[in-house]
Amino acid sequence: MPPKTRKTPQQQRSREMVRRIVDAGQQVLIEHGYDGASTNRIADAAGISPGSLYQYFPGKDAIVTAVIERYNSEVAALVHSSVLAHLHEPPETAVPATISALLDALGSHPALLRAVIEQTPRLSGDNTVFAFEQQIGELARVALTMHRDSLPHDVDFESAAWMLVRTVEHLAIRYILDRPPVSRDRFLTDITRLVLNYFRPPPSPAQTTPTPIHEQNASSHSRTPPRRQQPHAF
């Protein structure tokens, strides 16, 4: 279980102090990275004493975890809303719309995204970094079930949801962080094609088995018209 706050912020003043400390933790994490983040730095950024900070959080890891969990919740809420809004639409419409919402959510604070992905690997796990995978995965299974009549009969919904959610998530993160020379429209078009192709029936063996070279040669010879014999010159 991730570290929790020492005090349960029930009063408005306490909730404001927790938000202030988490805001400061986010700022310090972005500017100094995980290793450079210390409770003293976070307290200084929050404008409070280290002693006041320790009344609410037991240490740095608890603050960084709170930063990540808040970020997770914001991203999950945006993507969750998009999935629900397009749940009854055809995949050709729902897939790019949902991935676009994911890009918006991740791209709203790329510096924080980079800090979370690259600076806090030791804190990553099912309960911290991108916990929305479980939520979105469940929605993906629901969407697959709703469109089961148009899918290949051998699709495993559990497996498909797991792979697709994580594939899209990884590519979206790398697109935001790496900033490749690919337009957003091009990225959405290609990643949508990737997702939709997953559900198309595999080609039949006759379509995938290459024609042997000797058969290709024989076929080409059979299609070559005979050369007309040239008259002899006298």
Side-chain angles (χ1 to χ4, degrees), residues 12-148:
Q12 178 63 32
R13 185 175 178 181
S14 295
R15 289 194 295 269
E16 176 60 27
M17 180 58 72
V18 169
R19 186 195 63 77
R20 188 171 165 184
I21 294 172
V22 174
D23 286 346
Q26 176 175 312
Q27 175 187 337
V28 171
L29 179 64
I30 291 172
E31 293 178 356
H32 301 281
Y34 176 82
D35 291 333
S38 66
T39 51
N40 286 343
R41 270 184 170 155
I42 295 172
D44 184 63
I48 60 176
S49 68
S52 296
L53 181 150
Y54 281 117
Q55 291 180 24
Y56 294 90
F57 291 93
K60 176 179 77 172
D61 282 359
I63 300 172
V64 173
T65 296
V67 171
I68 295 172
E69 288 181 340
R70 183 175 69 176
Y71 182 53
N72 287 342
S73 297
E74 293 171 353
V75 172
L78 290 172
V79 179
H80 190 274
S81 297
S82 178
V83 172
L84 289 179
H86 299 93
L87 198 57
H88 297 280
E89 296 181 2
E92 293 80 6
T93 301
V95 170
T98 300
I99 297 175
S100 181
L102 177 61
L103 290 178
D104 289 341
L106 295 176
S108 63
H109 209 321
L112 178 57
L113 174 63
R114 187 177 298 279
V116 169
I117 295 298
E118 298 179 356
Q119 296 292 335
T120 60
R122 71 198 70 186
L123 295 179
S124 63
D126 289 341
N127 295 323
T128 52
V129 176
F130 297 115
F132 69 84
E133 289 174 347
Q134 285 72 34
Q135 301 177 42
I136 306 306
E138 181 60 35
L139 288 174
R141 283 189 290 274
V142 172
L144 291 172
T145 302
M146 293 176 61
H147 296 283
R148 66 189 312 156

